[in-house]
Amino acid sequence: MNLQAPRGTTDLLPEQALAFNVLEQTALDVFSRYGYALIEVPTFEQLDVFVRGIGQSTDVIGKEMFFVYSMHAAEKLAAGETLKADERLALRPEATAGVARAVVEHNLVPPGAAPAKFWYAGSMFRHERPQKGRLREFHQIGAECIGAAEPTADAEVIIMLMRFFEAVGIPRQAMRLLVNSMGDEQCRPAYREKVREFIVAHSEQLCADCVRRAGTNPLRAFDCKNLSCQQVLVDAPKLRDELCDDCRQHYQQVKDYLTAAGLSFEEAPRLVRGLDYYTRTVFEVQVVNGLGSQNAIGGGGRYDRLIEEFGGKPTPGLGFAVGMERIQLALEANGCANRMQLSPQVFIVVVGAEQVSAAFDLALRLRDANIRCELDHQARSLKSQFKLANKLDAQLCVIIGPEELAQDEVKLRMMETGDEQTVASATLTETIRKILP
Ligand code: HAM
């Protein structure tokens, strides 16, 4: 049998796993400066968490969910029984809904409390058609700020996102920051109706999906990838022009704070994002080259009704998530992917099997001193050991032979130049530290 990883998933082999780990370390470093604390929510939740959070009419819920059935639930289904709410489970397509559920369940933001700030990293699952930058299991780093309604909070979150991208090494000029306002329950219904009327009036020029969306969720039409639809929708009414006074003022202030912080952005009046919980500010970061149509490396926005939707007190919130695979692709496309150091700094070579136990002790000592170190457990020929050291790209070889051992010394060879020196065992760690960068 030919066993393979499922379509749309990837094995994170050591180099990529390490690169992801570095992204998470960078997130920890940047986000903690803004007061964010790590949170972990389950990889699967009750289906209702996602349906109520993200919205039935979105592609994520309507087309892309992975369901989770226990054996017991599968048997009930097969027998034609209906499942209880806590038996209907799904893999998370994103983590905002799960975090909001946890905030309500644990009362993490009681009324009047300061905003709570959380960040997370982990796998998300969407049954999309796999392509470059689009997977069925992918990895996100995200942040959620819950309990702040003020425009400074929007600006702070967007600034933190851009600082994160810069800290991981994506050049600022390689990114476009798009912002828009989705309005709120005051102004959006009337706007939605205008877009519906526009779609109906232009149904001959639009694809069947867009026309169908007129009946369910007209704003989704703006997400249509069809170029001819996009050209028609350029003339659709813009929410920017229909915002109520409160939303207009909020949006203006967010833009003013971003400008004052020196952050350049583009207004994108048709940016609606694919999840239904958004209100007011939405934003997306795209890379200019190298990622084709999957060029969004991160996005987010405000969701002032979500906590209430889950049974909590009215509590505003906002956040973002970034795609870790897409960040890696963006770094590679811009020639700034860090080749992480996995290779040993030091390789210990023994002349004969009698020196193996000394080599073993030395390896432990060097590792305890924070030096990446490897040895050939099989103590093969000298030639094979040097070959392995070269293959692993070790910078230094420590050579232990019978004479050296008798004198409490070792030989140290610089692999690039072949230069050798004899070093007293007692001072070896210090000498290596001086040589290594
Ligand atoms: P999203 O835009 O659906 O937002 O996803 C955020 C990022 O995840 C995208 O910009 C992209 O980089 C990455 N991504 C999404 N789908 C895939 C995929 N199939 N394969 C690879 N990467 C992907 C959210 O998920 C919201 N929860 C963000 C948010 C947090 N809004 C408020 N708080």
Side-chain angles (χ1 to χ4, degrees):
M1 197 179 6
N2 195 4
L3 293 179
Q4 287 178 337
R7 198 161 121 76
T9 69
T10 44
D11 295 308
L12 295 183
L13 300 178
E15 197 168 315
Q16 195 181 1
L18 182 60
F20 276 22
N21 193 259
V22 171
L23 292 182
E24 288 176 26
Q25 290 299 322
T26 309
L28 173 68
D29 179 41
V30 174
F31 298 171
S32 50
R33 280 184 251 152
Y34 291 75
Y36 283 74
L38 186 63
I39 190 169
E40 291 198 23
V41 291
T43 324
F44 61 93
E45 298 263 359
Q46 282 186 30
L47 178 62
D48 291 343
V49 168
F50 304 123
V51 175
R52 283 169 63 176
I54 297 167
Q56 185 66 61
S57 67
T58 58
D59 282 355
V60 169
I61 297 300
K63 298 185 187 166
E64 299 166 2
M65 294 299 284
F66 279 99
F67 299 103
V68 177
Y69 294 111
S70 67
M71 185 62 97
H72 176 67
E75 280 166 3
K76 276 176 85 174
L77 274 181
E81 294 174 42
T82 39
L83 298 181
K84 290 191 268 168
D86 63 357
E87 292 170 319
R88 276 184 280 127
L89 304 170
L91 291 180
R92 61 182 184 190
E94 55 102 63
T96 309
V99 170
R101 192 264 314 134
V103 164
V104 175
E105 188 170 331
H106 305 287
N107 194 23
L108 297 179
V109 191
K117 298 174 169 183
F118 306 104
W119 78 275
Y120 50 83
S123 296
M124 310 293 155
F125 306 86
R126 298 183 192 175
H127 193 271
E128 298 192 80
R129 202 163 42 78
Q131 65 176 82
K132 183 179 174 191
R134 191 165 69 192
L135 292 150
R136 291 182 174 169
E137 182 188 22
F138 57 99
H139 297 77
Q140 283 187 344
I141 291 175
E144 313 292 347
C145 168
I146 302 189
E150 297 71 24
T152 40
D154 305 50
E156 187 181 271
V157 161
I158 297 172
I159 290 166
M160 182 171 90
L161 171 64
M162 298 312 286
R163 295 286 193 267
F164 168 74
F165 281 137
E166 285 164 27
V168 301
I170 305 180
R172 183 63 184 89
Q173 66 279 11
M175 296 184 279
R176 293 170 69 203
L177 167 62
L178 307 178
V179 297
N180 190 22
S181 174
M182 301 278 299
D184 63 7
E185 66 275 18
Q186 301 300 318
C187 46
R188 199 159 44 189
Y191 173 68
R192 193 184 283 129
E193 181 52 24
K194 283 194 174 176
V195 176
R196 194 191 66 76
E197 285 166 8
F198 180 90
I199 295 176
V200 171
H202 294 78
S203 55
E204 309 258 286
Q205 298 151 267
L206 292 165
C207 73
D209 256 0
C210 284
V211 176
R212 186 181 48 77
R213 281 172 181 138
T216 51
N217 194 341
L219 303 194
R220 280 278 83 74
F222 291 123
D223 276 340
C224 184
K225 295 276 179 267
N226 219 321
L227 210 63
S228 58
C229 292
Q230 282 178 23
Q231 277 160 359
V232 175
L233 290 164
V234 167
D235 297 323
K238 295 181 179 51
L239 186 48
R240 188 178 55 191
D241 306 327
E242 313 285 334
L243 293 175
C244 59
D245 287 347
D246 285 352
C247 286
R248 183 175 304 114
Q249 199 188 1
H250 183 96
Y251 186 38
Q252 189 55 51
Q253 285 178 319
V254 173
K255 289 186 287 179
D256 290 345
Y257 281 117
L258 293 180
T259 307
L263 210 66
S264 56
F265 60 88
E266 295 166 41
E267 283 192 68
R270 285 182 304 282
L271 177 69
V272 288
R273 313 241 326 114
L275 312 160
D276 270 358
Y277 49 59
Y278 290 117
T279 48
R280 295 196 166 172
T281 317
V282 287
F283 49 92
E284 194 160 284
V285 181
Q286 301 178 346
V287 282
V288 196
N289 56 32
L291 262 74
S293 61
Q294 306 305 311
N295 61 353
I297 51 173
R302 185 167 268 293
Y303 44 81
D304 290 343
R305 306 303 303 271
L306 185 60
I307 298 289
E308 233 174 311
E309 183 61 47
F310 287 164
K313 296 260 180 325
T315 311
L318 78 161
F320 64 75
V322 304
M324 295 171 74
E325 285 82 0
R326 290 193 196 173
I327 293 178
Q328 276 309 112
L329 289 172
L331 288 169
E332 277 157 27
N334 286 284
C336 30
N338 283 327
R339 288 273 151 250
M340 298 309 159
Q341 267 316 329
L342 286 172
S343 55
Q345 294 162 299
V346 175
F347 191 93
I348 305 174
V349 171
V350 290
V351 173
E354 307 76 48
Q355 291 91 45
V356 166
S357 91
F360 183 77
D361 286 347
L362 178 60
L364 296 185
R365 190 149 62 87
L366 293 181
R367 288 167 184 154
D368 286 343
N370 247 339
I371 294 167
R372 291 194 307 277
C373 167
E374 197 48 277
L375 75 166
D376 179 6
H377 289 272
Q378 293 154 329
R380 289 172 296 182
S381 70
L382 271 179
K383 196 170 157 211
S384 310
Q385 292 181 64
F386 279 117
K387 220 166 140 189
L388 181 57
N390 267 322
K391 193 171 153 211
L392 294 174
D393 207 16
Q395 290 156 271
L396 297 171
C397 270
V398 171
I399 306 154
I400 311 180
E403 296 93 56
E404 286 88 5
L405 202 56
Q407 304 288 322
D408 251 342
E409 289 173 348
V410 296
K411 274 213 185 81
L412 198 55
R413 180 189 289 192
M414 306 285 293
M415 293 304 278
E416 206 176 303
T417 57
D419 292 349
E420 282 189 3
Q421 54 176 301
T422 303
V423 182
S425 292
T427 59
L428 181 62
T429 316
E430 231 172 274
T431 313
I432 290 176
R433 278 234 183 80
K434 279 190 198 138
I435 295 173
L436 291 175

